[in-house]
Amino acid sequence: MTRFLLRRLAVALLVAMTVLTLSFMLTRLSGDLAISIAGPNATQEDVELIRRAYGLDRPLTVQYFDWIGRAVLGDFGTSYFFRERVSTLIGSRLPITLTLGLVGLGIALVVAIPLGIIAAVREGSWVDRAVMLVALVGQAMPSFWLGLLLMVVLGLQLQWLPISGTGSWEHFVMPGIVLAFSAIPALMRLTRSGMVEALASDYIRTARAKGLTRLSILAKHALRNAAIPVVSIAAVQLGFMLGGSIVIETVFALHGVGFLAWESISKNDFPVVQAVVLVLALIYIGLTLLADLLNAVLDPRLRA
Amino acid sequence: MTAPLLDVRGLKVQFGGHTAAVRGASLSLRKGETHCLVGESGCGKSVTALAVMGLLARGARRQAEVLSFAGQDLRNLSEGRMSRLRGDRMAMIFQEPMTSLNPAYTVGSQMTEVLRRHRGTPRAQAVDRAAELLGRVGITAPGMRLGQFPHQLSGGLRQRVMIAMALMCEPELLVADEPTTALDVTVQAQILRLLAALQRELGLGILLITHDLGIVARIADRVSVMYAGEVVESAPTAQLFAAPRHPYTRGLLSCVPVPGKVRRDEPLGSIPGVVPRLPPGFQGCAFRDRCPHAAPACAGPVPRQPAGPEHEFLCTLPPDWVRRAEAA
């Protein structure tokens, strides 16, 4: 178990280093930063001034190691646009995105896992086909469209939920549902196929031969084995939700990290862009690590 | 004569209406008896066993004139009632020890849950019982094994665990579906000796499914030979080996080398062809296409004939045909 942990940690660290390098390189590749910061009306002298002020005149390697040295300590510099420390900026936006992501994943799991199990148990029946149809529709529906639809129905007509902002937990329900919808099809399909495979296995036949109850066979013996791919994908999905919630955050006016990323990209605020990419990537890496650990808990064969 | 522990008559199993896997099989097993069900692959042995246990896959249809266990009619028993019998009074072990245990749970957890389900035994006591049985099936350091996962055990050990697990509630019937087929020859012998010893000690009735006539000769009290979903011959073991009547049984026996009887210059026997897949409603003898003694009458109804005490066979040939053929 210790060896497994160390190996996973080492891999996570390597990936983090790669992301650090990539996020630095991508912002430098997108054009001369000094020119874009200075704006279209700046003179050559202005650009030179800015280049020196932001240290962009130094060799790339120096800039790179300087940036890494600070980033490791949590110092991502100051935003050009917001005139604020990038770390405070992200710190204030991250809880919104995290809440949204967790609500979305929660809803997705609560819906997808039972439906997947039911579809597997009734494999080939109309229930199975109905569930898979819902999965197909969910996969095909654009999330901004579903968001607007929910706003019209739940927000404006029924007036059950607020349509925008972050004032209370109710504000997270609708965007949570929309986010969940994008994750449900994959989670449901995986639960279903995992359960179908598990239920056809020899150890389930043994469990039945032992006279165990249906509940014990499904929940204890089949689900535990079917859950392994679901856990991996759930972690990836949560990563997607956190990084890819830009559309949802825009539609529901939630000022989370996704919204921040969109703003800073359009303003060429490269310290913020770099930091957002890095933070999201680190969360992603953390989630993958967590999924690996959970899987090792579920399947003893992975602990070697 | 005591009532049989397991009585099966006219068992039929169909899958989806186009294949009849079992076509009217009959067999009975007394308390404390080892009854072997032999035949080639695909002749319906495993399906018969699963049908008895109520473990057929969804989509399979089971019918029987008689299907009783310890005097209890199993035919219309609900799944809930059936599951109370399974693991408690009737247990089963399988051909694939490598995949028959759940990879996610420890040996101890999988063994104790049987006792907890059927007897409501507290965990500590169930663990004691599991350790005792692991010792009984010849596993050293049972305490350590209880905490291990299936992937940490060899095939032979896993099959021993399966046997011990099947014995948790002291069942009266153990159905063993080719329990040694997937194991090394040396391990096979150990497992068979173990089954025989357990049977003597616990008065266990064993329904052993195998295609290995060597195993039959060593541990069976009675043998039923199955072909294409029917029991074509049934007899006490010694009787069957000494005086087989059904041409299929004779064919099977001729395929096995017996020291002293086989000669170097003569090839071993073989039965040409394979077991056919028969549609429901098939008439006549299913073996007739492969039988050296086939006659036009074989397409008609086939009588079940006595050939000695507790010896029956299903054939159109007269009971004394072997003697007549040898005299001629």
Side-chain angles (χ1 to χ4, degrees), chain B residues 29-263:
Chain B
L29 185 143
R30 284 186 220 114
K31 198 169 161 38
E33 183 183 63
T34 300
H35 191 134
C36 275
L37 197 54
V38 294
E40 287 168 272
S41 308
C43 70
K45 301 175 306 238
S46 294
V47 176
T48 302
L50 292 172
V52 166
M53 295 293 291
L55 290 175
L56 289 168
R58 244 186 336 158
R61 259 204 8 251
R62 179 183 82 179
Q63 283 177 297
E65 289 154 28
V66 176
L67 181 58
S68 76
F69 168 73
Q72 194 172 1
D73 190 349
L74 301 182
R75 284 177 301 173
N76 297 313
L77 221 53
S78 69
E79 174 57 26
R81 300 270 305 279
M82 196 66 210
S83 75
R84 291 193 179 282
L85 279 181
R86 279 198 304 259
D88 186 5
R89 300 185 61 194
M90 52 203 295
M92 184 162 181
I93 58 174
F94 301 95
Q95 186 177 349
E96 306 85 5
M98 303 312 280
T99 50
S100 289
L101 290 164
N102 193 329
Y105 293 98
T106 60
V107 167
S109 153
Q110 297 187 58
M111 287 184 73
T112 52
E113 70 180 341
V114 188
L115 216 50
R116 292 161 65 76
R117 149 78 169 146
H118 294 293
R119 301 285 158 81
T121 314
R123 184 179 296 275
Q125 265 172 272
V127 169
D128 288 345
R129 167 85 178 143
E132 176 200 326
L133 276 171
L134 285 185
R136 183 63 205 81
V137 300
I139 292 179
T140 50
M144 185 257 294
R145 295 296 183 195
L146 284 177
Q148 285 189 319
F149 289 95
H151 73 272
Q152 294 167 304
L153 309 180
S154 68
L157 273 177
R158 287 188 215 187
Q159 197 60 290
R160 282 170 198 268
V161 168
M162 285 294 290
I163 294 171
M165 192 159 75
L167 298 176
M168 283 297 276
C169 291
E170 300 185 355
E172 292 142 79
L173 172 68
L174 176 68
V175 177
D177 186 359
E178 308 222 15
T180 59
T181 306
L183 304 173
D184 288 345
V185 184
T186 48
V187 183
Q188 275 185 18
Q190 292 167 6
I191 297 282
L192 287 175
R193 267 201 297 278
L194 174 64
L195 283 176
L198 289 169
Q199 189 225 23
R200 273 196 308 276
E201 279 170 45
L202 308 172
L204 198 62
I206 298 180
L207 178 61
L208 181 73
I209 291 159
T210 180
H211 58 251
D212 185 339
L213 289 164
I215 291 176
V216 175
R218 278 167 57 192
I219 74 168
D221 298 311
R222 255 191 101 72
V223 191
S224 289
V225 179
M226 234 180 141
Y227 184 78
E230 277 174 318
V231 173
V232 295
E233 184 159 13
S234 179
T237 309
Q239 171 79 13
L240 188 100
F241 279 91
R245 286 289 161 43
H246 197 281
Y248 178 63
T249 313
R250 300 181 70 83
L252 272 188
L253 290 173
S254 77
C255 302
V256 183
V258 181
K261 281 195 182 173
V262 180
R263 280 192 292 178

